[in-house]
């Protein structure tokens, strides 16, 4: 195949569009608040789509295919429950309170919001530090997600060369449009990117479904695979899936609830101050997210049925790399133009999540460390944020290209670490006046330590290339302990299969109120009562920022 | 579509209910527009609504 020029053209045209959009957005960016949160003036369409594209990255399009290859049709529940918990419930319960609290406290970062809610500079700096570290690592994993797609889109080009060029191009263009247009530039491009994402995953879903003989052909084929591979015809067509049902439930819990504590999701609510935007943004976000996730979460199952029917004649070899299922399906069932569209969708998904991750990491340094430490004005902080945008992207590019083992291992953990540290202090902070600064700080610290320890000791903290050797890290933990199991209904849960995020959050939910009650003498009741009355007030008035 | 069992089908029903619930939420909170008033910015509030829509 020598059609690589089409894919390069798609990347080129798409990145040129982003650069132009960033430059156009410059006209709307007059101050630091404009740069960081688009002046809190975003309408419902942009808010809804921005929330959706930030939530769902290329990890879902490519990685989702990998999981639905394993779990079959039940995977549709992952997408639906992600939308229910991660979008619908999040918007309704956290949207208004977060939006108003951020405006009242004039917060521009999630760390700043937490710091001001609990009146703790230490908490603010601690959360900012974790954000900088793990968002940068998360960026690396987002860039690395492009590599599998490139291998299939451009088979005659050296994969290392195409990956290097694509990562550098994406990074450089992101620096340009983020530094010039800021949040306005990032959010303005989200509409086009959301359309491309939806079109791309829908095209492979439809083409794949037609190729396997429609829904009936898909179900019949998956039943045949289930019978042949697992001696269970329902293994790939029923809930719960026949393979690793505990892993399936665990995955739903982590991806649905974990997103509540992600700084890049929390700051989406900062970009508006109108309840009307939140209400309609909810409908737009939920509708878009449901479509994209349902399509994405079946593509792997469709791919499995397709390659079974065709006896793997077209080159996809199961058992070696399930993450290749969607790129392989793209190559084999889509016409070139639609394959290019899907390729653009993956690139778009990477960049939309990546740009918010970059802004969150860089602003955490500029706003929460540089500005608070040196007491500089917003103009200098703005400049520092732009510098840090560049630094974060350059570090991300270097790590994504060098792929050091330690970073690869951290990539698997970055998402859990961020959510574990932030989620409970954030949610309790919105609803409970009794939460104290010590509870927020120590809950975050302990949750992170527990998540890290559980990951290393029970589940394996290692680079995918080297294989997981958890026994080498904590040799004093006997395997018999890791393999302890208990029953929930008909499900057998093995200790080592429980995700570290779940363990950390169970502990966090218990210790946060306990520490708060033990340290309640630290609570500044007047401040908290005043803040909550403003957040929930009918006619709250605040002074204009200087 | 006959090949799908109820436990898979119901995911699509839940998806529809989520969209329906979002519409109900919009209608139920239609009159709840108690936005924060920033002193000196009252006159801009109407213009802000238009942006991005």
């Amino acid at each position: 195949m020598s059609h690589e020029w089409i894919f390069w053209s798609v990347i080129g045209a798409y990145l040129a569009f982003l650069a132009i959009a960033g430059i156009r957005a410059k006209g709307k960016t007059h101050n630091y608040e404009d740069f960081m949160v688009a002046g809190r003036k975003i309408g419902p369409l942009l808010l809804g789509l921005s929330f959706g594209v930030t939530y769902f990255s290329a990890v879902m399009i490519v990685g989702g295919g990998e999981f639905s290859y394993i779990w079959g049709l039940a995977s549709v529940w992952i997408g639906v429950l992600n939308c229910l918990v991660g979008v619908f419930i999040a918007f309704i319960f956290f949207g208004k309170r977060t939006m108003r609290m951020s405006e009242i406290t004039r917060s521009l970062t999630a760390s700043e919001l937490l710091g001001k809610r609990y009146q703790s500079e230490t908490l603010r700096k601690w959360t900012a530090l974790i954000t900088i570290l793990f968002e940068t690592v998360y960026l690396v994993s987002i860039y690395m997600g492009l590599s599998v797609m490139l291998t299939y889109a451009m088979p005659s080009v050296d994969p290392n060369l195409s990956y290097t060029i694509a990562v550098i191009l994406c990074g450089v263009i992101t620096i340009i449009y983020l530094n010039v247009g800021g949040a306005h530039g990032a959010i303005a491009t989200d509409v086009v990117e959301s359309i491309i994402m939806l079109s791309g995953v829908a095209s492979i879903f439809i083409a794949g479904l037609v190729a396997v003989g429609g829904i009936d052909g898909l179900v019949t084929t998956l039943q045949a695979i289930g019978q042949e591979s697992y001696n269970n015809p329902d293994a790939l067509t029923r809930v719960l899936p026949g393979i690793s049902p505990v892993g399936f439930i665990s995955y739903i819990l982590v991806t649905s609830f974990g997103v509540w504590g992600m700084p890049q999701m929390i700051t989406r609510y900062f970009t508006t101050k109108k309840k009307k935007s939140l209400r309609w943004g909810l409908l737009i976000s939920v509708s878009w997210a449901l479509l994209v996730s349902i399509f994405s979460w079946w593509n792997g199952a469709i791919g499995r049925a397709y390659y079974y029917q065709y006896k793997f004649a077209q080159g996809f070899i199961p058992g070696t790399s399930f993450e290749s299922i969607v790129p392989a399906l793209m190559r084999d069932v889509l016409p070139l133009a639609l394959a290019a569209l899907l390729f653009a969708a993956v690139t778009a998904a990477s960049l939309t999540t990546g740009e918010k991750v970059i802004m969150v990491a860089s602003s955490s340094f500029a706003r929460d460390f540089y500005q608070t430490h040196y007491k500089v004005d917003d103009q200098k902080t703005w400049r520092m944020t732009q510098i840090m945008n560049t630094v974060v992207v350059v570090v991300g590019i270097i790590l994504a290209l060098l792929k050091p083992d330690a970073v690869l291992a951290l990539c698997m953990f970055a998402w859990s670490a961020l959510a574990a540290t932030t989620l409970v202090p954030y949610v309790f902070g919105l609803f409970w006046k009794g939460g104290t600064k010590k509870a927020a700080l120590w809950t975050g610290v302990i949750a992170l330590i527990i998540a890290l320890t559980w990951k290393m000791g029970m589940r394996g903290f290692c680079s995918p290339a080297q294989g997981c050797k958890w026994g080498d890290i904590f040799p004093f933990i006997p395997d018999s302990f890791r393999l302890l199991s208990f029953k929930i209904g008909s499900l057998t849960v093995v200790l080592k299969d429980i995700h570290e995020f779940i363990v950390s959050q169970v502990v966090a939910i218990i210790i946060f109120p306990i520490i708060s009650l033990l340290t309640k003498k630290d609570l500044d009741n007047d401040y908290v009562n005043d803040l909550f009355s403003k957040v929930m007030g009918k006619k709250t008035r605040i002074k204009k920022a200087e | 579509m006959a090949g799908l069992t109820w436990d898979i089908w119901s995911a699509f029903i839940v998806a529809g209910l989520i969209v329906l619930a979002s519409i109900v939420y919009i209608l139920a909170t239609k009159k709840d527009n108690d936005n924060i008033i920033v002193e000196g910015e009252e006159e801009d509030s109407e213009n802000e609504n238009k942006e991005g829509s």
Side-chain angles (χ1 to χ4, degrees), chain A residues 25 44 108 125 127 162 188 200 239 312 329 373 382 396 432 446 453 464 471 526:
Chain A
L108 299 178
K125 288 194 167 72
T127 319
S162 58
V239 179
F312 311 106
L329 197 63
H373 187 75
W382 183 357
W432 188 41
I446 292 168
T453 311
D526 292 341

Side-chain angles (χ1 to χ4, degrees), chain A residues 28 41 43 45-46 73-74 76-77 80 84 88 92 96 100 103-104 184 215-216 219 237-239 273-276 279-280 282-283 286 290 294 298 537-538 540-544, chain B residues 1-8 10-12 14-16 18-19 21-23 25-26 29-42 44-46 48-49 51-53:
Chain A
K28 292 180 180 177
K41 291 176 181 172
L45 179 69
L46 290 182
L73 300 182
V76 71
W77 275 105
V80 171
L84 175 66
F88 182 78
I92 286 183
K96 177 189 159 188
R100 294 182 68 130
E103 192 183 359
I104 291 162
H184 272 297
I215 294 280
D216 290 342
V219 173
T237 58
R238 298 295 301 261
V239 179
K273 54 183 174 184
K274 298 289 178 191
K275 290 176 81 177
K276 184 181 168 188
R279 285 200 299 271
W280 286 96
L282 161 68
L283 180 63
V286 142
L290 278 168
I294 287 172
W298 263 13
K538 287 282 179 196
T540 299
R541 299 177 75 93
I542 60 172
K543 287 182 180 170
K544 194 170 183 175
Chain B
M1 301 287 271
L4 292 180
T5 49
W6 68 269
D7 47 350
I8 303 295
S10 49
F12 296 95
V14 171
I18 294 171
V19 175
S22 303
I23 295 168
Y25 176 74
I26 290 170
T29 56
K30 209 166 90 177
K31 290 182 181 172
D32 181 14
N33 273 320
D34 50 322
N35 297 307
I36 290 172
I37 299 161
V38 180
E39 289 171 4
E41 282 187 0
E42 289 97 320
D44 300 331
S45 59
E46 284 305 310
E48 287 164 4
N49 275 326
E51 187 157 349
S53 56

Side-chain angles (χ1 to χ4, degrees), chain A residues 236-401:
Chain A
L236 297 169
T237 58
R238 298 295 301 261
V239 179
L240 292 166
I243 305 99
S244 183
V246 174
F248 177 76
I249 295 169
S250 186
Y251 193 86
I252 288 176
L253 291 173
V254 172
T255 54
S256 297
F257 288 97
V259 73
W260 287 0
M262 300 297 277
Q264 65 267 31
M265 303 307 301
I266 296 170
T267 50
R268 291 305 89 210
Y269 305 119
F270 293 13
T271 59
T272 188
K273 54 183 174 184
K274 298 289 178 191
K275 290 176 81 177
K276 184 181 168 188
S277 297
L278 276 182
R279 285 200 299 271
W280 286 96
L282 161 68
L283 180 63
I284 291 162
S285 197
V286 142
S287 306
W288 180 88
L290 278 168
L291 285 172
V292 166
S293 58
I294 287 172
F295 287 142
S296 297
W297 282 107
W298 263 13
N299 284 333
I302 290 171
R304 186 161 194 175
Y306 178 81
Y307 289 105
Y308 179 82
Q309 288 180 0
Y310 289 86
K311 304 296 178 196
F312 311 106
Q314 298 193 43
F316 176 73
I317 304 166
T320 53
S321 173
F322 296 157
E323 66 178 356
S324 302
I325 190 74
V326 170
L329 197 63
M330 172 193 81
R331 177 195 63 191
D332 294 334
V333 302
L334 283 180
L336 199 58
L338 289 179
L341 182 67
L342 180 68
F343 182 68
V346 174
T347 313
S350 301
L351 290 180
T352 46
T353 304
E355 72 202 10
K356 275 82 171 191
V357 165
I358 295 160
M359 280 287 272
V360 163
S362 57
S363 60
S364 291
F365 178 83
R367 178 85 172 167
D368 300 319
F369 281 104
Y370 177 70
Q371 189 173 31
T372 54
H373 187 75
Y374 292 103
K375 312 288 180 203
V376 294
D377 60 18
D378 278 357
Q379 200 66 25
K380 285 182 179 165
T381 311
W382 183 357
R383 182 59 54 84
M384 178 55 78
T385 308
Q386 290 173 315
I387 293 168
M388 285 307 294
N389 275 341
T390 311
V391 171
V392 169
V393 172
V394 170
V395 170
I397 289 173
I398 291 170
L399 294 177
L401 294 179

Side-chain angles (χ1 to χ4, degrees), chain A residues 59-138:
Chain A
V59 173
M60 185 186 71
I61 300 178
V62 179
E66 176 184 2
F67 286 114
S68 72
Y69 183 98
I70 299 165
W71 288 322
L73 300 182
S75 304
V76 71
W77 275 105
I78 301 173
V80 171
L81 291 175
N82 279 177
C83 294
L84 175 66
V85 177
V87 183
F88 182 78
I89 292 177
F91 252 87
I92 286 183
F93 287 98
F94 310 143
K96 177 189 159 188
R97 286 169 187 258
T98 309
M99 174 186 80
R100 294 182 68 130
M101 200 177 278
S102 77
E103 192 183 359
I104 291 162
T105 58
R106 302 193 196 290
S107 299
L108 299 178
T109 67
S111 326
E112 186 179 2
L113 181 77
L114 285 175
K116 289 182 172 172
R117 160 62 185 86
Y118 292 103
Q119 297 173 280
S120 169
E121 279 300 304
T122 312
L123 174 66
R124 179 176 176 178
K125 288 194 167 72
W126 153 254
T127 319
L129 181 69
I130 295 300
T131 304
I132 297 164
L133 176 64
F134 286 105
E135 292 284 14
T136 306
V137 172
Y138 185 37

Side-chain angles (χ1 to χ4, degrees), chain A residues 173-196:
Chain A
I173 296 296
T174 310
I175 290 171
I176 292 171
Y177 79 86
L178 269 189
N179 277 346
V180 175
H184 272 297
I187 294 170
T189 57
D190 285 349
V191 175
V192 174
E193 290 167 332
S194 64
I195 294 168
I196 293 173

